Amino acid sequence: MSIAATQKRGFGAVLWDYLTTVDHKKIGILYLIGGGFFFLLGGLEALFIRIQLLVPENDFISAGLYNEMFTMHGTTMIFLAVMPLLLGLMNYIMPLQIGARDVAFPFLNSLGFWLFLFGGLLLNCSWFLGGAPDAGWTAYTPLSLQSPGHGIDFYVMGLQLSGAGTLIGGINFLVTIVTMRAPGMTYMRMPLFTWTTFVTSVLILFAFPALTVNLFLLMFDRMFGSAFFDVALGGNTVIWQHLFWIFGHPEVYILILPAFGVFSEVFPTFSKKRLFGYTAMVFATILIAFLGFMVWAHHMFTVGLGPVANSIFAIATMAIAVPTGIKIFNWLATMWGGSITINSSMLWALAFIPTFTIGGMTGVMLASAVADYQYHDTYFVVAHFHYVMVGGTVFGIFAALHYWWPKMFGRILHEGMGKFTFWTFFIGFHLTFFIQHFLGLMGMPRRYWVFLEDQGLDTGNLVSSIGAFLMAIAVIVFLINIIYTAAKGTKAPADPWDGRALEWAISSPPPYYNFKQTPLVRGLDPLWIEKMEGKGKVTPAEPVDDIHMPNSSFVPFIMTFGFFVASFGFIYQVDHSAWLIAVYVGMGIALGAMAYRSLKDDHGHHVTKEELEREAD
């Protein structure tokens, strides 16, 4: 079906198209919409926290609601906002960068998205059904074990669904990159964003099972009376911390490495230079991922692992600064002597370097076990964490959205509003979090509902809250920019930035089959090589012929809906055994959908050579 035909359809047809799509680009857009919605929700929760801490002894919200707010803010931002936004970018861009027509398993790709979305909705249903989780985003036992109500149960089931979706996505990306690269695209010719997608997927593959196991153990403890974490019955609460951080620390790199990939695309494009030290950047990415897995216990210095264990984990943690430093020097060297264009995307990338460097330096400070005994659970940790996650990942997402928006939607975001968004957010971010380093050093604990007067904390908290409101204004302007661009934005050509990788070789937005002919890759930056030789477009690796594409399917949505219904049954069967009916019905729907998918032959369809020749390039 042509793009033009798609645009002429009514709202109902478009809605059905997105409910049943298996196209990696549309699923990428769905991830961006879903992640964007939860980003706004998590941001709203952050504003409630900052309003509560605006003045001493404030009673804007109750202590219990405050616990729910910071728990849901952290959980939402990590699991439901930032990671899905990155998965959306990976989904849309990576197959284009390797010259593929889709991901390896389109059906599973759709299933992964719906699992994420229904998991996020399930978690947020807790707000309306008796109370949200209130034990922090880490849900440490025994606190989470003893938390009354069903808030933690929604946390367990919601994250199980979303986590399964993420694991499916990671496996899919791995297989896609290994098996579907265009002819000539060796591993050492892949763009850095594809490389970081690859390494991130490996991290997802090994990290998420630890979270899944942990959540199952907590689920059995809370819902079925087992005692994995109950000390009184012979359990061990520290096991939760180990398993959580075996997942949780790689998770930081699952979030930051794709952002590194984005910056490695933005800097060369807007500096008109090849990425400096490509090989070193690839191996630095792999080394960061490896070390990221080895240092989970630095979150547990105060647990009492002993001086030997603490020393080993401290040194390993500090070692991560080396490959990260290699990356930062290579980005600077890429710009050195280049013809630099300063636009919205480049501003986010430039701002990332000093911001993330501050986050890295405070990370090295926290890696010192002796010092960590002082910093632990103070606002210093909050400041460090946000400098890494927001200053690294969120800056990267904004850079990516401004950079790839023309490719995804065929229109260029308004540059004036883009720069206003950047400066407002940048100033607001540093106002919010830089001062929190000092609040932490002055002894302000994290997660506290109120602080007292005359402790020297008033001004710092006031400034921090003002900064949060500036960031909110920036996000509102960005949303206005999206609406304005959709209505009146400048139409984008195929290659608006004079790009270097394959995604810029096809129209904006791309046709649903991506490439009429699979491209032949003759080196790193394949499009740039063709431009330098005066061709302007990539050399095809095959003649124009029929293209095989997968069929759309409503089964992933139905399957996920079944798990969604069963989750309510698992949560409430503790109150009354009649809720087991929901478990049986939900699992019946899910298993029935699986059986239908297994038994029905679906061979996809072909885009004919004649249709391809009628389509515009």
Side-chain angles (χ1 to χ4, degrees):
M1 188 176 296
S2 69
I3 298 298
T6 305
Q7 290 173 339
K8 289 176 184 172
R9 292 177 303 165
F11 174 76
V14 172
L15 179 63
W16 179 251
D17 183 28
Y18 273 87
L19 287 174
T20 60
T21 187
V22 296
D23 180 353
H24 74 95
K25 298 182 290 298
K26 288 178 183 170
I27 292 172
I29 291 171
L30 286 172
Y31 267 114
L32 292 181
I33 294 171
F37 168 74
F38 287 118
F39 184 81
L40 295 178
L41 203 57
L44 197 61
E45 287 155 359
L47 281 182
F48 275 93
I49 294 169
R50 286 316 319 168
I51 292 172
Q52 171 61 26
L53 297 177
L54 187 68
V55 292
E57 300 182 62
N58 198 1
D59 58 357
F60 175 67
I61 55 177
S62 67
L65 183 56
Y66 182 80
N67 286 346
E68 294 174 351
M69 281 292 168
F70 75 70
T71 299
M72 287 296 283
H73 167 68
T75 309
T76 301
M77 283 301 194
I78 295 286
F79 293 100
L80 306 179
V82 174
M83 200 157 55
L85 287 170
L86 293 169
L87 285 173
L89 293 168
M90 294 179 195
N91 242 306
Y92 201 110
I93 299 300
M94 180 273 289
L96 300 180
Q97 287 196 328
I98 63 171
R101 293 203 169 94
D102 208 323
V103 291
F105 307 115
F107 179 90
L108 279 182
N109 202 21
S110 171
L111 179 63
F113 167 74
W114 292 115
L115 283 170
F116 141 67
L117 186 68
F118 275 92
L121 294 176
L122 178 69
L123 179 61
N124 279 280
C125 282
S126 61
W127 285 116
F128 310 101
L129 297 171
D134 58 357
W137 80 277
T138 55
Y140 276 175
T141 57
L143 184 62
S144 57
L145 203 58
Q146 296 167 354
S147 174
H150 287 299
I152 296 295
D153 301 326
F154 278 100
Y155 173 95
V156 169
M157 298 309 299
L159 293 194
Q160 285 289 40
L161 285 187
S162 287
T166 304
L167 189 57
I168 286 172
I171 294 169
N172 212 347
F173 292 152
L174 272 181
V175 179
T176 303
I177 294 170
V178 170
T179 63
M180 297 179 69
R181 285 169 287 124
M185 178 160 280
T186 62
Y187 283 105
M188 294 311 286
R189 289 178 178 175
M190 292 196 310
L192 246 295
F193 182 71
T194 298
W195 255 115
T196 54
T197 300
F198 183 78
V199 175
T200 300
S201 301
V202 173
L203 286 176
I204 288 172
L205 183 64
F206 288 102
F208 267 74
L211 175 69
T212 304
V213 168
N214 221 17
L215 291 172
F216 267 122
L217 297 181
L218 184 58
M219 175 185 172
F220 291 148
D221 270 14
R222 285 186 60 94
M223 300 180 193
F224 302 110
S226 61
F228 294 105
F229 304 119
D230 190 340
V231 177
L233 297 175
N236 187 336
T237 59
V238 179
I239 290 174
W240 170 272
Q241 293 195 34
H242 277 294
L243 284 172
F244 186 87
W245 288 116
I246 286 172
F247 147 79
H249 198 73
E251 170 71 2
V252 173
Y253 298 96
I254 289 169
L255 299 179
I256 195 63
L257 287 179
F260 286 178
V262 170
F263 298 128
S264 298
E265 303 291 324
V266 171
F267 283 127
T269 299
F270 295 118
S271 301
K272 291 285 181 288
K273 279 181 66 186
R274 178 175 169 162
L275 181 68
F276 184 87
Y278 170 84
T279 307
M281 293 291 266
V282 170
F283 284 102
T285 304
I286 296 169
L287 188 57
I288 289 171
F290 175 76
L291 290 173
F293 241 111
M294 297 292 110
V295 297
W296 80 90
H298 73 209
H299 293 272
M300 302 166 63
F301 282 151
T302 56
V303 165
L305 299 176
V308 175
N310 279 359
S311 301
I312 291 170
F313 281 102
I315 293 167
T317 303
M318 292 178 192
I320 298 179
V322 177
T324 309
I326 290 171
K327 279 182 168 286
I328 287 178
F329 283 119
N330 281 354
W331 286 319
L332 292 173
T334 302
M335 288 186 285
W336 186 273
S339 176
I340 297 174
T341 302
I342 302 292
N343 56 19
S344 300
S345 183
M346 192 64 165
L347 280 173
W348 287 105
L350 289 169
F352 149 80
I353 290 180
T355 307
F356 189 80
T357 303
I358 294 172
M361 288 168 60
T362 52
V364 173
M365 292 169 69
L366 286 164
S368 168
V370 179
D372 188 66
Y373 274 81
Q374 300 300 316
Y375 306 139
H376 189 74
D377 272 345
T378 71
Y379 254 76
F380 188 88
V381 178
V382 178
H384 157 72
F385 187 72
H386 284 84
Y387 262 80
V388 172
M389 286 292 96
V390 181
T393 307
V394 175
F395 279 25
I397 289 170
F398 274 116
L401 290 176
H402 285 86
Y403 181 58
W404 280 312
W405 197 272
K407 180 55 58 185
M408 291 190 282
F409 299 102
R411 291 178 185 271
I412 299 174
L413 286 169
H414 188 271
E415 191 59 24
M417 279 192 271
K419 287 180 177 171
F420 181 87
T421 299
F422 166 75
W423 284 112
T424 314
F425 195 96
F426 180 72
I427 294 168
F429 167 80
H430 285 285
L431 279 179
T432 304
F433 295 109
F434 190 71
I435 205 159
Q436 288 183 4
H437 292 107
F438 301 98
L439 289 171
L441 293 175
M442 291 161 67
M444 180 171 167
R446 63 193 290 198
R447 305 190 182 104
Y448 272 36
W449 171 50
V450 292
F451 59 94
L452 303 177
E453 281 184 298
D454 302 325
Q455 291 186 320
L457 304 175
D458 305 23
T459 306
N461 275 296
L462 176 64
V463 170
S464 188
S465 296
I466 291 171
F469 278 100
L470 281 179
M471 285 195 284
I473 292 169
V475 173
I476 291 169
V477 173
F478 182 68
L479 293 176
I480 294 170
N481 194 356
I482 290 174
I483 296 167
Y484 175 85
T485 301
K488 296 185 178 180
T490 307
K491 289 191 176 178
D495 184 16
W497 314 126
D498 198 12
R500 311 173 76 85
L502 284 179
E503 73 266 29
W504 305 110
I506 51 178
S507 61
S508 301
Y512 70 103
Y513 46 79
N514 292 354
F515 297 90
K516 182 186 289 186
Q517 295 164 278
T518 302
L520 178 66
V521 177
R522 299 192 295 134
L524 183 63
D525 295 339
L527 180 59
W528 190 257
I529 290 174
E530 304 289 352
K531 287 178 187 176
M532 291 301 99
E533 295 184 1
K535 294 179 182 174
K537 60 181 182 179
V538 291
T539 306
E542 60 181 9
V544 178
D545 202 352
D546 294 355
I547 297 174
H548 179 254
M549 297 296 291
N551 286 330
S552 298
S553 175
F554 195 48
V555 176
F557 184 94
I558 295 292
M559 200 182 294
T560 311
F561 179 73
F563 289 127
F564 182 71
V565 171
S567 298
F568 281 100
F570 280 117
I571 291 170
Y572 286 105
Q573 54 83 27
V574 176
D575 299 337
H576 197 288
S577 59
W579 277 95
L580 287 173
I581 296 171
V583 175
Y584 299 140
V585 170
M587 293 306 292
I589 293 171
L591 294 174
M594 286 182 191
Y596 173 80
R597 171 67 181 174
S598 302
L599 297 173
K600 183 178 182 301
D601 289 330
D602 184 351
H603 299 295
H605 66 280
H606 284 85
V607 186
T608 64
K609 179 180 175 181
E610 292 72 26
E611 188 180 347
L612 288 171
E613 288 173 341
R614 285 197 301 272
E615 295 272 358
D617 275 322

